[in-house]
Amino acid sequence: MYRDRIDEIRKDKNITNKKWSELSGVSIDTINRIIHPENPEKDSARVNTLEDLCKPLGIELWELFYTGDKSLVVLQAEIHSLKAERDALLEENGALKNKVNTLETKVDSLRDKNDALKDQLIETHNYYIKQKTDE
């Protein structure tokens, strides 16, 4: 069942076995043995190999064995949606951190200018006070 399903998905996505092999890191010979085994009852693919083959197809391993239970599809769609939302929030968070860092740099620069102006003001004030006391 999973053999037909994974090959069907590959064909639907218009991916050749050669390209599939390159993207998954699984040899063409292994792919052929999985799809067309000599003894289907005895020969079965390793789970990690199937996972490697699923990645370039954009599917999860469970989808190969899906029997029609809609609740699984709904849950998987919700998981994908939540992951996308999480990724967007992380990206937004990174952008906000960059803005905060930029603003902190500007604030530090303005503080330095403010301190320099204060020092000038004090020097000017002291200069005029000295002038008045010298008169």
Side-chain angles (χ1 to χ4, degrees):
M1 175 179 162
Y2 73 88
R3 299 172 200 283
D4 295 333
R5 179 82 179 120
I6 198 167
D7 198 39
E8 175 186 316
I9 293 168
R10 177 196 60 82
K11 288 175 182 173
D12 286 347
K13 300 211 179 226
N14 203 25
I15 297 174
T16 65
N17 278 350
K18 182 179 180 189
K19 186 67 174 175
W20 196 17
S21 173
E22 292 169 6
L23 294 172
S24 67
V26 177
S27 74
I28 291 178
D29 289 340
T30 300
I31 290 172
N32 286 330
R33 278 195 307 273
I34 289 170
I35 304 303
H36 308 288
E38 289 181 28
N39 186 347
E41 299 300 318
K42 289 178 72 180
D43 298 336
S44 60
R46 294 181 178 169
V47 171
N48 62 337
T49 303
L50 289 175
E51 286 176 332
D52 291 341
L53 289 171
C54 287
K55 287 177 189 172
L57 300 177
I59 61 170
E60 301 286 332
L61 181 62
W62 68 266
E63 293 177 79
L64 295 180
F65 303 95
Y66 176 66
T67 59
D69 183 356
K70 297 229 185 264
S71 62
L72 286 175
V73 173
V74 170
L75 287 174
Q76 191 64 27
E78 188 174 337
I79 288 169
H80 283 293
S81 174
L82 289 171
K83 284 180 180 178
E85 185 177 343
R86 179 204 61 203
D87 291 346
L89 287 171
L90 288 172
E91 188 175 319
E92 185 179 330
N93 185 35
L96 289 173
K97 281 183 179 179
N98 288 339
K99 285 182 180 181
V100 166
N101 289 339
T102 300
L103 289 173
E104 285 176 347
T105 301
K106 287 180 180 180
V107 165
D108 289 343
S109 175
L110 289 173
R111 282 189 183 134
D112 292 343
K113 286 180 182 179
N114 188 39
D115 289 344
L117 287 172
K118 282 181 186 176
D119 291 343
Q120 279 183 335
L121 184 63
I122 290 170
E123 284 178 30
T124 303
H125 177 71
N126 289 340
Y127 173 80
Y128 283 113
I129 291 202
K130 186 174 188 229
Q131 290 295 327
K132 286 193 175 203
T133 55
D134 286 347
E135 290 177 2

